[in-house]
Amino acid sequence: MAEVNAHLAAMHESYLFSEVARRVSAYTAKNPKKELLRLGIGDVSRPLAPLVVEALKSASAEMGRAESFRGYGPVGGYGFLIEKLVETEYAPLGVTFSADEFFISDGAKTDMSALQELFSVNAVAALSDPVYPVYLDANKMAGRKVVLLPCKAEDGFLPPLPNEHVDFIYLCSPNNPTGAALRYAQAERFVAYARRNETVLLFDAAYRAYITEKDCVRSIFEISGADEVAVETGSFSKDAGFTGLRCAWTVIPKKNRLGLNALWARRTAAKSNGVSYPVQRAAEAALSPEGKRHAQQNVRFYLENAAMLRLAAEAAGLQVWGGQNAPYLWVKCPNGLDSWQWFEKLLHEKQIVCTPGAGFGSCGQGYVRFSAFGTREETMEAAKRLQE
Ligand code: PLP
């Protein structure tokens, strides 16, 4: 009999989202006429910009003509897209990279789960608690030891520095699920720690377009010296609406002390044939001035949703974090309820679906996450019901 990966086999089913789905379908089976307001999702609801759709169509048409047909592209991504990323995402922050420091992929989830392959199975990973579950699952599947960095209300749910040796640290800012965003001073502390301890920072910037406050870092590379110790992933999902189209990027500077750029290039060449040409043309269009305007409108729309939910929750006497630099609100459960108890109450009494914070880690117990990615109508209705 074939021996399966014991670490994978030991993983239980993703408890959080399957349990939410199970409880929601049990409720709808009993209450088919009740309309649910789904604030649990991390998926966007606004469509792609028309020019992105046009770029997809014309690139697809090119593929249907012999003279412009393209087969396999460069595994790390086409130059036209990387040039635009350099120009629009990094140059305005005063950061420069060469094309071979970028790797285009089909998603930040793909990259953030795979980057741990750069390290030995004996390397120790550190991640926040609560955490975007992908980082934890990827390391558990690889059989690696993880250290949790407890994120507390008194620290604005930002992670502390590890107090034992770790080899790499996941940082997600703005954060899913808490909505917290790292300030420059905090990011500087992590970079200084990483430089002192020969640690690598894996920085997930999937929500960076949501930053509204001036003192929050948009890229870890804004911090001097980060190019020797950090790796960063960005995504087209949450601002340009590419969750269904799939495109993201990872920057691994060639200055990295461990030579991670060459290792990732080797690994990518072995495991990927890149992202489709039409999708990369669509991503290029999303970075054009008109594409950026459209993405900013999306972000503004979701942040307005977040503000509406935040006001309503505060008016109801709830304690709320996030929503200012992120499309997520992190809300303390009232009256000593735990995450699942309040989830049940919101579902049965208000027909609101949220995500129980306990599912993101033990420090998430006693909190829930509300997503601002819904439509305006359902967000307004949810705000009204919350305030009631
Ligand atoms: N990183 C974080 C922190 C996320 O919350 C998500 C999606 O919810 C992703 C990455 C996934 O991004 P992508 O759609 O590019 O895979």
Side-chain angles (χ1 to χ4, degrees):
M1 200 166 76
E3 206 176 313
V4 300
N5 174 348
H7 303 299
L8 179 56
M11 307 273 304
H12 48 73
E13 204 191 330
S14 166
Y15 175 72
L16 177 60
F17 295 105
S18 58
E19 186 58 19
V20 167
R22 193 189 67 73
R23 293 188 191 209
V24 168
S25 35
Y27 178 81
T28 43
K30 278 202 197 132
N31 305 277
K33 295 227 167 79
K34 297 260 187 188
E35 192 208 336
L36 291 182
L37 302 169
R38 295 177 191 270
L39 303 189
I41 51 154
D43 199 355
V44 297
S45 55
R46 286 166 68 84
L48 295 169
L51 94 162
V52 167
V53 175
E54 278 315 309
L56 265 176
K57 282 192 204 161
S58 72
S60 305
E62 275 181 60
M63 301 286 271
R65 292 190 294 267
E67 64 280 13
S68 50
F69 169 76
R70 299 195 189 217
Y72 293 126
V75 289
Y78 281 103
F80 61 76
L81 176 55
I82 294 173
E83 272 164 36
K84 271 275 184 300
L85 280 169
V86 171
E87 176 193 320
T88 65
E89 300 303 297
Y90 289 95
L93 302 176
V95 180
T96 42
F97 290 114
S98 58
D100 51 2
E101 293 172 296
F102 281 83
F103 299 86
I104 305 299
S105 82
D106 69 352
K109 184 174 184 178
T110 308
D111 287 354
M112 289 306 295
S113 62
L115 283 166
Q116 45 82 26
E117 291 179 25
L118 285 166
F119 305 97
S120 137
V121 70
N122 301 317
V124 179
L127 36 96
S128 304
D129 175 7
V131 73
Y132 175 51
V134 168
Y135 315 151
L136 179 63
D137 285 357
N139 282 283
K140 284 209 305 210
M141 284 179 198
R144 192 174 286 110
K145 182 180 167 203
V146 300
V147 165
L148 297 177
L149 306 174
C151 301
K152 301 277 173 60
E154 57 266 31
D155 303 319
F157 293 102
L158 289 168
L161 292 174
N163 49 25
E164 60 193 284
H165 176 77
V166 300
D167 296 291
F168 58 107
I169 305 177
Y170 290 85
L171 289 176
C172 174
S173 178
N175 191 268
N176 176 13
T178 66
L182 272 185
R183 313 277 146 176
Y184 282 100
Q186 291 149 344
E188 276 163 11
R189 277 202 288 281
F190 273 98
V191 170
Y193 172 93
R195 294 175 64 83
R196 240 183 2 257
N197 293 284
E198 304 282 313
T199 301
V200 176
L201 304 177
L202 302 180
F203 193 79
D204 186 342
Y207 296 97
R208 70 189 205 148
Y210 287 82
I211 292 175
T212 61
E213 290 177 300
K214 277 208 178 74
D215 56 342
C216 298
V217 277
R218 285 180 161 70
S219 163
I220 194 67
F221 299 121
E222 288 180 86
I223 309 295
S224 159
D227 49 2
E228 293 181 9
V229 292
V231 168
E232 176 169 291
T233 296
S235 173
F236 291 88
S237 283
K238 309 293 173 143
D239 57 344
F242 274 47
T243 53
L245 206 51
R246 314 302 303 137
C247 198
W249 71 91
T250 286
V251 184
I252 307 188
K254 286 203 280 194
K255 278 195 185 162
N256 182 276
R257 289 175 178 180
L258 299 173
L260 295 184
N261 177 283
L263 291 181
W264 193 246
R266 181 68 186 88
R267 183 249 174 223
T268 304
K271 291 200 170 185
S272 169
N273 269 325
V275 175
S276 78
Y277 173 68
V279 167
Q280 291 194 61
R281 280 292 184 202
E284 178 194 29
L287 296 177
S288 68
E290 196 187 326
K292 286 296 246 182
R293 260 193 305 280
H294 193 273
Q296 279 157 9
Q297 278 166 12
N298 289 343
V299 167
R300 216 173 302 129
F301 177 89
Y302 297 129
L303 284 174
E304 282 164 10
N305 278 354
M308 222 178 276
L309 289 170
R310 193 180 165 115
L311 271 179
E314 284 175 345
L318 295 163
Q319 265 186 296
V320 188
W321 290 262
Q324 259 151 2
N325 301 301
Y328 298 117
L329 298 184
W330 188 242
V331 183
K332 178 136 184 71
C333 304
N335 309 323
L337 295 176
D338 75 21
S339 300
W340 284 104
Q341 286 168 336
W342 198 34
F343 169 89
E344 284 289 332
K345 229 170 135 58
L346 284 170
L347 177 62
H348 286 85
E349 294 174 14
K350 308 271 183 195
Q351 289 73 50
I352 292 175
V353 181
C354 65
T355 312
F360 296 102
S362 61
C363 292
Q365 180 58 278
Y367 296 87
V368 303
R369 187 193 75 175
F370 289 133
S371 157
F373 279 133
T375 62
R376 185 52 48 85
E377 297 69 37
E378 69 184 335
T379 305
M380 281 168 69
E381 181 57 27
K384 196 172 109 207
R385 291 188 201 172
L386 268 180
Q387 204 163 336
E388 281 163 5

